Amino acid sequence: KLTLVLALATLIAAFGSSFQYGYNVAVVNSPAEIMKEFYNETYYDRTSTYLSDFSLTLLWSISVSMFPFGGFIGSLMVGILVNKLGRKGTLLLNNVFSIVPAILMGCSEIAKSFEIIIVSRLLVGICAGLSSNVVPMYLGELAPKNLRGALGVVPQLFITVGILVAQIFGLQNLLANEEGWPILLGVTGIPAAIQLLLLPFFPESPRYLLIQKKDPASAKKALKRLRGWDNVDFEMEEIRLEDEAEKAAGFISVVKLFQMRSLRWQIISVIILMGGQQLSGVNAIYYYADQIYVSAGVNTHDVQYVTVGTGAVNVVVTFLAVFVVELMGRRLLILLGFSICFTACCVLTVALALQDTISWMPYLSIVCVISYVIGHALGPSPIPALFIAEVFLQSSRSSAFMVGGSVHWLSNFTVGLVFPFIQVGLGPYSFIIFAVICLLTTIYTFLVVPETKAKTFMEINQIFAKMNKVSEVHPEKEELTDFPPSSLEQ
């Protein structure tokens, strides 16, 4: 059952970390033009000349894409930090990468420096890179198997809440104005400060305590607090089975992850799903939503309200996904979500191409964007990180999150940096690229990805053992089938 301790630990971890990811994805969208003016005026004050259009576009693209580049750096730090400091310890340390840049961004206008904004975007990116991998890992290890899917979607729910809050605060009559934009950028430090105060009162991952720290007493105590009863022997035994595998295999590094035949389809699936999640164009929608609506013919003043409406739809659908993920399963939600995104991209391309010739086409464009957001929120956004937490055992989970996180953030960085130039070059046909990626990811999921709903980590591991055509051994040793027999001896 969902106990108060488990619910609060989930909410504090997700609010303090995942919320910031969403907030920083969308926060530069509304004040973009005001911030570009600040860049130009600052440059003029220094050199007595203004930036060229290309230089300003490039500088702004770098400011936007420093966030996902920082996310990539954060992903590379995951394996080291979660094994040294634990899941909870890493989240606490991670708040430094939010509070410091929040203060810097808040002071950027007074300091007359756009470089501070660029560096701060890199730092909050590192924060998001760590949290986007560590929060699903932490919650996946805290949750019982019947709640793992629902709690695994909560981080994505808070990402969408962060996006919506950034869009609301980014209304022109609130903070997206010449006086308010530094405050708008600095708000990201508040959730970090709250997490820093409250998270120390909640348990560390029992799996980390038992397997990495070799502390069964603390692991059992943490499990009792999380489950709300004393009889946790069955779950302790399940963790001990993983511990036996851990003793024989040790820590499975990223290099070993790619070498092991028994993990082949798991790692390929993670790369495809994480790449598909970002290269399907979701952040093109969020980074440049205002421009898409303007090009679709929405009145310039009304764009901000349409954007907030889109953010609200995203939150509602992700909230629904929390409840249906255990009912419908992970695989069906990914297939349904990517199919909706594919259809939306195709129709949006037609709508944007014909908007000057048919009067109602701009409205169809808006429907397509909202449909795309619904589709992505159902499966492609929340499921891939949950998938990583479920298909890898303890010995390889942190390395798998490093790989998945790196693919996620490199893809995110690429879209953020390249999309403005694709938009200029291809115009209404930009979304054809995203449609193709959605289609390919759907086909791969249909052919390869199994259902993991309501299965233990060991049962999921056995499914992949058959897919990888590795010999049947004891369930707890499935990850070790590439090792010589002597290494498996007790």
Side-chain angles (χ1 to χ4, degrees):
K1 64 180 181 179
L2 183 63
T3 60
L4 183 63
V5 172
L6 180 57
L8 290 175
T10 301
L11 292 175
I12 291 162
F15 174 66
S17 298
S18 305
F19 174 90
Q20 294 181 70
Y21 172 7
Y23 188 85
N24 286 298
V25 162
V27 73
V28 294
N29 188 16
S30 297
E33 295 307 315
I34 300 166
M35 289 176 70
K36 284 179 191 176
E37 282 178 32
F38 167 69
Y39 282 29
N40 228 342
E41 286 167 13
T42 302
Y43 188 79
Y44 181 81
D45 289 343
R46 294 176 190 174
T47 64
S48 299
T49 57
Y50 287 109
L51 290 158
S52 67
D53 287 346
F54 177 82
S55 297
L56 186 57
T57 301
L58 182 62
L59 200 58
W60 182 247
S61 288
I62 290 169
S63 302
V64 170
S65 55
M66 270 299 106
F67 175 69
F69 183 68
F72 170 63
I73 295 170
S75 294
L76 297 180
M77 297 161 62
V78 168
I80 299 165
L81 291 177
V82 294
N83 290 314
K84 291 277 185 191
L85 304 175
R87 283 61 168 148
K88 187 177 85 168
T90 302
L91 290 176
L92 289 171
L93 174 69
N94 194 30
N95 291 311
V96 172
F97 294 109
S98 176
I99 294 169
V100 171
I103 294 166
L104 289 175
M105 287 190 289
C107 300
S108 57
E109 189 183 29
I110 298 165
K112 298 268 184 219
S113 171
F114 52 77
E115 291 88 353
I116 284 179
I117 295 171
I118 294 170
V119 171
S120 298
R121 290 281 294 170
L122 179 72
L123 292 174
V124 292
I126 292 172
C127 172
L130 280 165
S131 67
S132 64
N133 292 291
V134 179
V135 176
M137 191 189 307
Y138 179 54
L139 298 184
E141 292 177 11
L142 292 189
K145 68 177 183 180
N146 61 306
L147 293 175
R148 203 167 57 227
L151 297 190
V153 175
V154 169
Q156 184 60 37
L157 174 63
F158 273 86
I159 289 171
T160 62
V161 171
I163 290 169
L164 179 60
V165 170
Q167 290 167 340
I168 292 170
F169 286 178
L171 293 172
Q172 288 164 16
N173 55 354
L174 287 178
L175 292 174
N177 48 55
E178 289 184 13
E179 298 80 35
W181 67 262
I183 300 167
L184 180 65
L185 297 182
V187 164
T188 187
I190 296 172
I194 292 171
Q195 187 184 75
L196 201 57
L197 289 171
L198 297 180
L199 194 60
F201 296 103
F202 291 89
E204 177 57 271
S205 156
R207 276 183 156 74
Y208 170 77
L209 292 170
L210 180 58
I211 297 177
Q212 259 101 3
K213 298 292 284 183
K214 313 297 181 192
D215 187 352
S218 295
K220 194 166 188 176
K221 184 180 175 185
L223 262 181
K224 285 179 180 179
R225 280 192 69 199
L226 289 164
R227 300 295 177 259
W229 58 63
D230 290 337
N231 186 16
V232 293
D233 293 340
F234 180 79
E235 233 178 317
M236 283 291 289
E237 184 57 32
E238 187 199 328
I239 299 172
R240 279 196 187 94
L241 290 177
E242 281 194 60
D243 189 24
E244 287 179 33
E246 186 73 15
K247 283 174 185 170
F251 172 66
I252 294 176
S253 66
V254 171
V255 174
K256 196 188 287 185
L257 203 63
F258 281 96
Q259 292 173 341
M260 291 178 72
R261 184 179 167 189
S262 59
L263 297 176
R264 186 171 298 162
W265 280 111
Q266 290 96 311
I267 204 69
I268 292 170
S269 298
V270 163
I271 291 168
I272 299 286
L273 289 176
M274 279 297 189
Q277 180 197 63
Q278 292 303 311
L279 296 175
S280 59
V282 63
N283 283 325
I285 297 282
Y286 290 126
Y287 286 144
Y288 304 102
D290 289 6
Q291 290 95 314
I292 289 169
Y293 289 135
V294 169
S295 66
V298 178
N299 182 289
T300 309
H301 180 71
D302 295 336
V303 159
Q304 56 182 338
Y305 301 108
V306 179
T307 303
V308 169
T310 308
V313 169
N314 195 8
V315 171
V316 170
V317 177
T318 309
F319 183 72
L320 288 175
V322 172
F323 297 97
V324 301
V325 67
E326 293 297 353
L327 185 69
M328 296 175 67
R330 289 65 157 144
R331 187 172 180 271
L332 181 59
L333 287 183
I334 294 175
L335 289 170
L336 183 63
F338 273 117
S339 300
I340 293 170
C341 291
F342 167 71
T343 307
C345 284
C346 292
V347 178
L348 180 61
T349 303
V350 175
L352 291 175
L354 297 177
Q355 69 178 15
D356 294 331
T357 54
I358 302 174
S359 61
W360 48 267
M361 277 298 168
Y363 302 105
L364 183 60
S365 297
I366 295 168
V367 170
C368 287
V369 170
I370 293 171
S371 300
Y372 180 97
V373 167
I374 290 171
H376 217 278
L378 267 179
S381 282
I383 303 300
L386 170 62
F387 182 79
I388 301 175
E390 290 190 323
V391 304
F392 290 92
L393 294 185
Q394 194 80 8
S395 54
S396 54
R397 194 173 290 130
S398 57
S399 292
F401 267 104
M402 281 177 69
V403 173
S406 299
V407 172
H408 170 106
W409 287 104
L410 279 176
S411 304
N412 190 326
F413 173 74
T414 303
V415 172
L417 191 61
V418 172
F419 182 70
F421 299 100
I422 292 176
Q423 209 175 16
V424 170
L426 294 179
Y429 302 101
S430 306
F431 288 90
I432 287 288
I433 298 167
F434 302 131
V436 170
I437 291 165
C438 289
L439 179 61
L440 293 175
T441 313
T442 306
I443 293 167
Y444 177 86
T445 303
F446 181 76
L447 296 175
V448 176
V449 176
E451 182 54 72
T452 58
K453 180 179 78 169
K455 291 180 171 66
T456 67
F457 292 126
M458 294 305 177
E459 289 167 345
I460 295 164
N461 214 241
Q462 285 177 302
I463 294 169
F464 276 101
K466 290 173 185 170
M467 289 173 62
N468 291 316
K469 294 185 169 60
V470 292
S471 59
E472 285 291 329
V473 290
H474 296 298
E476 68 270 19
K477 303 297 196 310
E478 288 296 354
E479 271 193 355
L480 309 178
T481 48
D482 287 348
F483 289 83
S486 60
S487 70
L488 297 179
E489 289 171 8
Q490 293 296 323

